Amino acid sequence: MKEQINLLVKLQEKDRVLDRFRRQIREGPERLQDLEKELQTLEEDVEADRRRIQDLKKTQREYEAEIEDGLAHIRKSRGRLMSVKNNREYRALLREIEEAEKGNADKEDTILSCLEELETLGRELEAKEKGLSAMRDRLESEKTAVSKEVARVHEELSDTEKSREKLVQTVAPQLLAKYEQIKARSGGIAVALVNNATCSECHLGIPPQMYNELQRQDTLRFCPNCQRIICWKEAETSA
Ligand SMILES: [Zn+2]
């Protein structure tokens, strides 16, 4: 029985390793996905800045053209001032010129704020583009690293699966069935080691009587709290 208990401890160790390998195989691509999402957010941000810059430049060009038109209109109106016949027409023309000048001044203000925003955005965009390029490089090197790592872990996984297969053949079928049953309902861990009268999985104390019996290693015993198979810590080291 002692030998069989030791086999279960070994089996649990293999299963832990297998779980770790499977997790590593999952986590690599997940990490890449996270990076890709980050990259996409950054790209969208840069794209939005570029669109905003185009819009601002368009507004600037349109307003500059309108100011030119306004100036031409003002020049024409001033020319007409010489030839007006009466006071009423004269005042109306003056008002027209004043309004055109005010309109131009407003547009100049808008152009100025466009230019200020363009300057700020230009600086920000430059920094963001640098960040984007660094992020792309990082993603590329991560991709290489992850695919290498996944390939390596796959190999280790398949080696470990093979050695588990061999190990399983040496375990008594009813013990193996019990092991698999407990493993399935206890988060993948069926065997807990007991050290200093404490279950290594649920961290609760094992009653002294049971702890003493455990050291005999003559039969399967279960943690009174988490119901896992418990083994005396010594079982592992003497295995
Ligand atoms: Zn326990």
Side-chain angles (χ1 to χ4, degrees):
M1 196 61 202
K2 182 177 172 183
E3 193 197 337
Q4 283 291 310
I5 291 173
N6 283 341
L7 289 176
L8 287 185
V9 172
K10 280 186 178 173
L11 185 58
Q12 180 65 76
E13 208 27 66
K14 286 235 180 294
D15 279 344
R16 272 184 200 276
V17 171
L18 285 171
D19 277 351
R20 197 180 70 229
F21 288 157
R22 291 190 185 110
R23 202 169 51 238
Q24 283 174 334
I25 288 170
R26 259 196 331 269
E27 280 171 354
E30 279 170 6
R31 202 163 66 234
L32 287 184
Q33 274 180 0
D34 289 346
L35 277 180
E36 269 162 5
K37 252 185 234 162
E38 247 181 86
L39 181 70
Q40 202 191 337
T41 310
L42 219 57
E43 279 171 342
E44 283 166 4
D45 191 19
V46 163
E47 202 36 56
D49 277 4
R50 286 188 186 138
R51 273 198 305 272
R52 177 73 186 145
I53 286 174
Q54 278 175 358
D55 286 349
L56 286 167
K57 284 184 174 166
K58 187 164 170 262
T59 305
Q60 185 192 352
R61 279 195 307 272
E62 282 170 2
Y63 276 33
E64 277 168 355
E66 283 176 26
I67 286 172
E68 278 307 314
D69 290 348
L71 286 175
H73 183 72
I74 290 165
R75 272 196 303 275
K76 211 168 132 196
S77 302
R78 282 199 204 287
R80 275 170 59 204
L81 276 179
M82 313 301 165
S83 53
V84 282
K85 308 274 185 283
N86 60 51
N87 235 356
R88 197 177 52 83
E89 267 183 53
Y90 192 82
R91 273 203 299 274
L93 257 184
L94 277 183
R95 200 162 49 240
E96 213 181 294
I97 291 169
E98 200 182 312
E99 269 164 24
E101 280 171 340
K102 191 180 174 299
N104 269 4
D106 287 348
K107 280 166 193 150
E108 275 161 7
D109 285 347
T110 305
I111 289 176
L112 274 182
S113 61
C114 280
L115 289 174
E116 272 168 28
E117 197 180 338
L118 276 171
E119 204 189 323
T120 312
L121 270 180
R123 265 200 312 272
E124 284 173 3
L125 184 61
E126 198 183 330
K128 283 176 189 171
E129 278 170 338
K130 266 186 201 154
L132 188 61
S133 150
M135 188 73 175
R136 285 198 181 112
D137 289 349
R138 193 178 143 209
L139 183 62
E140 278 317 302
S141 59
E142 280 282 322
K143 272 184 187 164
T144 314
V146 164
S147 78
K148 263 189 206 158
E149 188 194 321
V150 166
R152 181 185 61 79
V153 176
H154 260 300
E155 238 169 74
E156 288 190 63
L157 177 74
S158 109
D159 288 349
T160 311
E161 273 169 346
K162 275 178 210 142
S163 67
R164 183 194 196 270
E165 208 42 54
K166 272 189 205 142
L167 180 62
V168 154
Q169 281 158 16
T170 62
V171 180
Q174 69 273 33
L175 278 187
L176 184 63
K178 192 82 194 156
Y179 172 90
E180 293 293 357
Q181 184 197 358
I182 298 175
K183 190 180 131 189
R185 66 157 195 246
S186 304
I189 307 292
V191 176
L193 296 175
V194 173
N195 194 15
N196 295 327
T198 304
C199 170
S200 63
E201 288 304 316
C202 70
H203 307 293
L204 289 186
I206 304 296
Q209 167 86 20
M210 191 183 249
Y211 186 58
N212 289 334
E213 289 168 0
L214 197 60
Q215 298 182 21
R216 279 191 242 136
Q217 301 178 58
D218 53 355
T219 181
L220 272 198
R221 288 188 172 79
F222 303 91
C223 173
N225 179 56
C226 68
Q227 315 302 326
R228 290 185 175 93
I229 300 164
I230 42 175
C231 300
W232 188 41
K233 183 77 165 41
E234 194 64 18
E236 182 194 37
T237 46
S238 68

